[in-house]
Amino acid sequence: MPYMKGSDSDYGPVYIREKGELRLIADPVNVEKVGPYKTKPLSHLKKCDSVRFCIREGDQTTSTKKNDPVFLTLCYSAKSLFDIALGFVADNVQHIDSLIGFPEQVAEKLFAAAEKRQKFVDPGTGLRALQTFSKAYGSLVLSSLCLKSRYLLVSEKLEEIKSFQGLSCLDLSSCKLGDDHELLQHLTTEALSSLVKLNLGDNCLSDSGLRKMTAPVRVMKRGLKNLEHLDLSCNPNIGELGIGYLCCFKKLSVLDISGAGAKLSKSLLQMLQNKMGLVSADAPLQDFSHAHCKTEGWAEQVMCR
């Protein structure tokens, strides 16, 4: 094993192995030749940001003497040009005008890189960046959102929630929204026309709230036009009049009005059957068990943070 005498270092001379060559990196005074190789200046290493040192298992010394040499192996881990470019774009994601047409495989990596840098929670840039991704990739950014009993989160991230386009499932149960909440009005916009499942159970809704929510569908034939599952349970102020507003949902196949103010009278049951094709179920349906509703998509961590 190579060794250099006369070192004043407490730990003896230090060598590195680079491309099969041993080079001295400590105490360059009185450097002796090691094998067939000569010591070379190491100034070029200072320019490299991706050099790390490690001890190869086969090169570890078993001696406990202070003057025994330590051998290190240089391992290079330079970043690829793709990673460098991805990091730069992620650092400046708020300046992107549009991602429409950009490959979604790369966009997913870009979203993850921006999320790691906490770009989406930055009050100055987060919302704009999130809107850019949502506009281009819709349901890939977020396809399902569960906010059950999370009223504070609804208030805190209202603008982020409104930026998502392409949601197919939204659970807002037990959020106490009431008839005039801004999010309830957002449900009728084209951004949420993709909704298939909507849970509004226990939200202090009344006939007035249902009238507002269904107005765009009844009057302008837009908003919630693809809705199939609707939960309005535990809203005691919803009466038969409010249930009548739901007839505009032509694709509605499952409806929960248990605990609502409307009594299942003969006239109500006939209206549900004749105008909506719905019949009373003998037992609670699994569709409203909340077991399958969860937040899914690239932005899952953004909403669950």
Side-chain angles (χ1 to χ4, degrees):
M1 181 174 290
Y3 181 78
M4 187 183 76
K5 300 178 181 178
S7 173
D8 295 329
S9 172
D10 291 340
Y11 299 99
V14 178
Y15 295 84
I16 61 171
R17 187 191 306 278
E18 181 182 11
K19 297 182 179 180
E21 298 183 9
L22 288 178
R23 299 178 185 179
L24 183 65
I25 63 173
D27 196 9
V29 182
N30 299 322
V31 176
E32 294 183 2
K33 194 173 182 180
V34 182
Y37 309 108
K38 295 182 179 180
T39 303
K40 295 182 180 180
L42 303 176
S43 58
H44 66 286
L45 296 179
K46 298 178 182 179
K47 299 179 181 179
C48 183
D49 295 329
S50 58
V51 176
R52 60 187 176 90
F53 293 92
C54 65
I55 301 178
R56 282 195 355 193
E57 184 176 354
D59 291 337
Q60 293 185 17
T61 178
T62 58
S63 175
T64 59
K65 297 180 180 179
K66 287 187 176 181
N67 290 329
D68 280 355
V70 179
F71 295 94
L72 301 177
T73 300
L74 268 183
C75 300
Y76 293 94
S77 57
K79 289 185 177 181
S80 66
L81 181 60
F82 175 83
D83 290 335
I84 295 174
L86 189 73
F88 177 80
V89 177
D91 286 331
N92 299 276
V93 69
Q94 69 274 14
H95 299 302
I96 299 176
D97 289 330
S98 175
L99 286 169
I100 296 176
F102 195 68
E104 58 191 45
Q105 295 88 345
V106 181
E108 183 177 5
K109 294 182 179 181
L110 178 59
F111 190 97
E115 196 278 329
K116 185 177 181 179
R117 290 164 169 77
Q118 298 188 351
K119 287 293 182 177
F120 299 116
V121 297
D122 189 307
T125 64
L127 182 59
R128 174 177 168 77
L130 199 59
Q131 290 172 340
T132 301
F133 276 95
S134 296
K135 186 176 181 180
Y137 303 104
S139 60
L140 290 176
V141 177
L142 208 67
S143 60
S144 179
L145 179 58
C146 181
L147 296 171
K148 181 181 179 181
S149 302
R150 305 188 71 178
Y151 177 79
L152 292 179
L153 184 62
V154 171
S155 300
E156 178 185 348
K157 294 186 179 265
L158 180 59
E159 294 304 319
E160 285 84 349
I161 296 171
K162 290 168 63 176
S163 71
F164 295 124
Q165 300 182 24
L167 281 175
S168 60
C169 180
L170 178 59
D171 190 344
L172 295 168
S173 58
S174 302
C175 284
K176 312 299 182 184
L177 298 180
D179 292 333
D180 300 313
H181 196 280
E182 186 177 347
L183 184 55
L184 194 65
Q185 299 175 15
H186 178 66
L187 295 177
T188 62
T189 64
E190 283 298 312
L192 291 181
S193 61
S194 57
L195 269 182
V196 175
K197 296 183 179 181
L198 176 61
N199 194 325
L200 291 172
D202 189 20
N203 266 291
C204 305
L205 298 176
S206 68
D207 294 346
S208 175
L210 293 186
R211 177 177 58 81
K212 296 175 184 177
M213 189 179 73
T214 59
V217 186
R218 292 184 288 109
V219 179
M220 295 174 285
K221 308 300 179 185
R222 67 171 179 82
L224 297 178
K225 55 188 177 184
N226 292 307
L227 194 63
E228 297 179 7
H229 296 232
L230 179 60
D231 184 354
L232 294 173
S233 61
C234 302
N235 285 290
N237 293 323
I238 294 179
E240 187 170 337
L241 177 62
I243 302 299
Y245 291 132
L246 306 179
C247 295
C248 61
F249 297 135
K250 302 301 180 182
K251 295 185 179 182
L252 194 65
S253 59
V254 183
L255 174 65
D256 188 353
I257 54 174
S258 58
K263 296 182 179 180
L264 292 179
S265 60
K266 184 177 180 180
S267 60
L268 179 58
L269 291 174
Q270 284 182 344
M271 181 188 69
L272 291 173
Q273 183 172 1
N274 296 337
K275 293 187 177 182
M276 304 175 67
L278 301 178
V279 295
S280 179
D282 297 329
L285 301 177
Q286 289 297 319
D287 301 78
F288 304 109
S289 65
H290 300 276
H292 303 293
C293 185
K294 56 183 179 180
T295 302
E296 294 181 312
W298 299 349
E300 177 181 351
Q301 295 301 318
V302 176
M303 293 306 301
C304 296
R305 188 181 295 274

